[in-house]
């Protein structure tokens, strides 16, 4: 499963986001370091279910009237403070929790009501734009430190015959989730001395920066959009655009209220909907709160929480959703379940890649595949795309 991590300073709203997105109970409070251990849970990205092209909706648990929810893992990482890469506020331990992530959502307090350390301040005295690069910088410096501490080993290896710099650097970075292929791509982009002894700190920082960008892309959730001055959100988006970074306004608290309301049967709302409908009898205070939330959602096209998750997977990680089936006419598995599974595959994946994603045995026994939408056989090199429904024929099934 893909893993997304929520990172940011204390009190930005990470645990609220996590709780809304996973509906698990986690510790929430208005003081730093509430969350000592990373919390892990299952969340979902939303896409259009292929059943929309058929007469009947598929009725799978993860499909609500054609809104398809595909599982991903979400981690709530404890609050990071400036200087985390040097170990401030248990920073090393918390940064380490990010090494398991495929992408990172930086949660920023767009209201500006808390400073860089997450402490309450007067609104207007702290500029949240400062936070947009904060996680990225801490990670880059932390990783540069890891490279520097291990460089002696690289130098030592360079004296032996058959030395391969890609391999030696990969060894240093594998714990960070960088493959030898990742390192090779990065080294092609960098200009650097052949001899490791001639590398400068600047060379190592450049390497760390590119490896981090390649293996841990970052998206910004401009949270507390419900109380943030519109001007802050404009500037956050502007700064994000300049830095080539997606910035999505969110209200984690609003999303949490909607999900709780929907569970209680008071409102109709599916995560990612642009609005909601009131079903039950609400108190005056509840009505007022929902009316305000409704205004925020009109302004930003929803609460932004689902959009942030979706953007991390479909834009940042460039994934698409493919649906393996056994019966290409009924789009079912062996038990008659319609569109039971969905896989988030990297762009350019082929039917054989899908086969391997289902099970290595299915991949190894791969014979051919059928596009269930057109009922045509597709070639081994055919690139799949969003919403493809594929029957895989394998010696293993
Ligand atoms: N107004 C508003 N408050 C929020 C929002 N998200 C979180 N908060 C509040 O911000 C405070 C810190 O939230 P928490 O999730 O514990 O932050 P964390 O330290 O980043 O995990 C809590 O009082 C939350 O209720 C939001 O979208 N809007
Ligand atoms: Mg927290």
């Amino acid at each position: 499963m893909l893993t997304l991590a929520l990172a940011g300073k204390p009190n930005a709203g990470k645990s609220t986001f996590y709780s809304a997105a996973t509906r698990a109970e986690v510790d929430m409070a208005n003081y730093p370091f509430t969350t000592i251990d990373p919390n892990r849970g299952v969340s979902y990205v939303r896409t259009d279910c292929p059943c929309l092209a058929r007469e009947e909706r598929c009725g799978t648990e993860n499909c609500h009237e054609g809104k398809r929810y595909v599982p991903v893992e979400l981690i709530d990482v404890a609050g990071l403070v400036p200087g985390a890469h040097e170990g401030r506020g248990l920073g090393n331990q918390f940064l380490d929790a990010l090494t398991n992530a495929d992408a990172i959502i930086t949660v920023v307090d767009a209201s500006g009501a808390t400073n860089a350390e997450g402490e309450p301040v007067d609104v207007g005295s702290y500029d949240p734009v400062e936070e947009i690069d904060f996680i990225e910088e801490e990670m880059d410096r932390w990783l540069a430190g890891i490279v520097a501490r291990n460089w002696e080993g690289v130098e030592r290896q360079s004296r032996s015959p058959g030395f391969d710099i890609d391999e030696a650097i990969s060894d240093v970075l594998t714990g960070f989730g960088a493959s030898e292929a990742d390192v090779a791509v990065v080294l092609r982009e960098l200009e650097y001395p052949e001899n490791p002894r001639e590398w400068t700190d600047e060379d190592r920082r450049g390497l760390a920066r590119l490896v981090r960008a390649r293996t841990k892309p970052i998206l910004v959730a401009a949270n507390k959009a419900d109380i943030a001055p519109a001007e802050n959100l404009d500037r956050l988006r502007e700064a994000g655009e300049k830095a080539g970074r997606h910035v999505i306004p969110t209200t984690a608290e609003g999303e949490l209220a909607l999900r709780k309301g929907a569970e209680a049967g008071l409102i109709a709302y599916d995560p990612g909907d642009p609005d909601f409908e009131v079903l039950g009898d609400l108190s005056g205070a509840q009505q007022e709160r929902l009316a305000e939330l409704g205004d925020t959602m009109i302004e930003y096209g929803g609460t932004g929480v689902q959009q942030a998750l979706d953007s991390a997977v479909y834009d940042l990680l460039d994934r698409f959703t493919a649906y393996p089936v056994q019966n290409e006419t009924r789009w079912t598995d062996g038990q008659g379940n319609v569109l039971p599974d969905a896989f988030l595959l990297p762009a350019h994946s082929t039917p054989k890649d899908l086969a391997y994603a289902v099970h290595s045995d299915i991949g190894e026994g791969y014979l051919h595949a059928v596009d269930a939408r057109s009922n045509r056989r597709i070639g081994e090199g055919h690139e799949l795309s969003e919403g493809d429904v594929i029957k895989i024929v394998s010696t293993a099934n």
Side-chain angles (χ1 to χ4, degrees):
M1 220 190 303
L2 283 180
T3 301
L4 308 177
L6 299 165
K9 70 185 189 185
N11 281 324
K14 299 178 298 298
S15 296
T16 308
F17 189 119
Y18 175 86
S19 179
T22 60
R23 282 297 289 128
E25 293 306 317
V26 289
D27 203 2
M28 269 173 289
N30 203 29
Y31 55 89
F33 310 131
T34 315
T35 349
I36 298 295
D37 287 311
N39 286 288
R40 290 166 171 276
V42 174
S43 185
Y44 298 86
V45 291
R46 171 174 161 169
T47 186
D48 287 338
C49 188
C51 73
L52 287 166
R54 319 251 294 180
E55 239 159 67
E56 271 179 57
R57 302 292 72 81
C58 62
T60 307
E61 192 191 347
N62 289 338
C63 175
H64 307 172
E65 295 294 311
K67 300 165 195 174
R68 182 80 188 213
Y69 294 92
V70 187
V72 294
E73 186 181 39
L74 190 64
I75 318 180
D76 176 19
V77 179
L80 291 161
V81 292
H85 70 281
E86 290 167 327
R88 256 199 92 211
L90 301 180
N92 284 332
Q93 188 185 321
F94 297 164
L95 283 163
D96 197 51
L98 293 171
T99 57
N100 297 312
D102 294 297
I104 294 165
I105 298 175
T106 294
V107 183
V108 166
D109 177 354
S111 74
T114 49
N115 65 16
E117 312 268 332
E119 298 152 352
V121 291
D122 293 334
V123 173
S125 66
Y126 171 77
D127 185 357
V129 168
E130 310 263 332
E131 256 165 78
I132 243 184
D133 297 326
F134 152 60
I135 292 295
E136 177 180 22
E137 273 164 21
E138 291 295 338
M139 287 196 84
D140 288 356
R141 292 165 88 167
W142 176 66
L143 189 58
I146 291 174
V147 173
R149 280 196 297 284
N150 286 283
W151 202 254
E152 232 180 75
V154 177
E155 287 181 9
R156 208 176 318 117
Q157 287 175 54
S158 74
R159 287 193 279 266
S160 57
F163 169 71
D164 180 345
I165 195 160
D166 285 23
E167 214 175 286
I169 293 176
S170 302
D171 286 347
V172 173
L173 293 168
T174 42
F176 188 71
S179 64
E180 200 167 322
D182 289 324
V183 171
V185 170
V186 164
L187 287 179
R188 245 176 276 140
E189 282 173 51
L190 272 178
E191 272 193 40
Y192 59 91
E194 273 307 314
N195 184 342
R197 260 160 298 179
E198 286 165 22
W199 278 53
T200 62
D201 281 345
E202 194 44 54
D203 289 327
R204 281 184 285 269
R205 275 200 293 271
L207 169 72
R209 201 159 38 234
L210 287 179
V211 167
R212 197 278 314 152
R214 184 170 174 82
T215 56
K216 305 278 179 267
I218 297 179
L219 170 143
V220 176
N223 195 38
K224 309 195 189 180
D226 53 316
I227 55 166
E231 183 248 353
N232 275 10
L233 287 161
D234 288 344
R235 284 185 317 105
L236 280 164
R237 278 195 282 214
E238 215 172 279
E241 223 161 274
K242 246 184 236 163
R245 178 119 49 258
H246 292 262
V247 176
I248 297 176
T250 59
T251 172
E253 208 171 71
E255 177 73 11
L256 186 56
L258 290 179
R259 294 208 190 187
K260 283 182 174 168
E263 274 165 33
L266 296 172
I267 56 168
Y269 173 74
D270 284 318
D273 283 354
D275 51 20
F276 58 86
E277 192 190 329
V278 176
L279 301 174
D281 275 335
L282 300 177
S283 70
Q286 281 173 323
Q287 281 178 23
E288 205 172 303
R289 200 168 156 217
L290 280 179
E292 276 176 29
L293 179 55
D295 289 342
T296 304
M297 290 173 76
I298 288 171
E299 174 125 22
Y300 300 112
T303 70
V305 168
Q306 189 63 58
Q307 288 85 341
L309 295 164
D310 297 348
S311 185
V313 169
Y314 291 113
D315 299 331
L316 239 53
L317 294 172
D318 204 8
R319 300 286 168 137
F320 69 92
T321 328
Y323 303 79
V325 293
Q326 285 194 30
N327 184 310
E328 69 269 41
T329 322
R330 292 167 46 226
W331 294 9
T332 52
D333 63 10
Q335 283 80 51
N337 303 305
V338 181
L339 296 170
D341 295 315
F343 287 85
L344 294 166
L345 301 179
H348 312 299
S349 293
T350 63
K352 204 169 183 180
D353 295 326
L354 175 62
Y356 271 102
V358 173
H359 197 283
S360 55
D361 290 347
I362 308 262
E364 269 151 37
Y366 178 89
L367 296 171
H368 70 267
V370 178
D371 179 339
R373 286 184 188 262
S374 63
N375 253 320
R376 287 207 190 100
R377 243 199 213 214
I378 44 178
E380 208 176 295
H382 177 88
E383 287 188 8
L384 301 177
S385 58
E386 178 61 34
D388 275 349
V389 181
I390 304 294
K391 175 191 166 79
I392 294 158
V393 181
S394 165
T395 56
N397 63 5

